[in-house]
Amino acid sequence: QVQLVESGGGLVQPGGSLRLSCAASGSIFSISNMNWYRQAPGKERELVATVTIDDNTGYAHSVKGRFTISRDKLKNTVDLQMNSLKPEDTAVYRCNALVRSTGTYYYQPYWGQGTQVTVSS
């Protein structure tokens, strides 16, 4: 089995910064893409940022220039540095990873439990 555990959420004032971390553990052979999603109340889930196994990154238009995704392939972690936060960034943030488990020949998605980010004065 594979587990993803996030940390780093919380309450921050507009203009502030937060750093989210997600660690994957378990029977991992390799990890393809690692992603951060968010979902605000009453809204659909949104892909915020993605990083490939080759460290290519992509961002939602709404966070480009403010958020930075990075991964450590040795530690199987992915971070999301969030700067210049806005109230509209308030959401539950979840990490997602495409993982090939030991003894298998395919990738499947795993999800973290989510961490709340609230941007408010």
Side-chain angles (χ1 to χ4, degrees):
Q1 281 292 343
V2 174
Q3 299 83 36
L4 272 62
V5 177
E6 299 115 335
S7 60
L11 172 65
V12 64
Q13 292 187 342
S17 298
L18 279 176
R19 189 175 184 89
L20 305 183
S21 295
C22 174
S25 62
S27 303
I28 298 170
F29 182 81
S30 68
I31 302 178
S32 178
N33 288 17
M34 301 188 82
N35 312 296
W36 283 98
Y37 286 80
R38 69 184 180 187
Q39 188 166 19
K43 294 189 176 181
E44 293 187 354
R45 186 173 61 199
E46 176 188 22
L47 176 60
V48 176
T50 185
V51 57
T52 70
I53 196 169
D54 298 320
D55 292 320
N56 294 311
T57 59
Y59 299 92
H61 179 73
S62 58
V63 308
K64 196 172 292 185
R66 300 187 297 122
F67 291 11
T68 302
I69 190 171
S70 60
R71 68 187 287 179
D72 185 323
K73 288 188 280 290
L74 292 179
K75 297 181 179 178
N76 288 331
T77 59
V78 60
D79 290 350
L80 185 68
Q81 177 66 41
M82 305 185 293
N83 299 328
S84 303
L85 283 161
K86 305 175 181 179
E88 51 263 43
D89 294 317
T90 296
V92 174
Y93 285 71
R94 298 180 72 188
C95 70
N96 161 268
L98 294 177
V99 180
R100 177 181 167 185
S101 297
T102 304
T104 70
Y105 298 91
Y106 55 89
Y107 288 87
Q108 61 181 358
Y110 288 89
W111 292 88
Q113 79 284 0
T115 185
Q116 177 70 44
V117 171
T118 302
V119 184
S120 174
S121 55

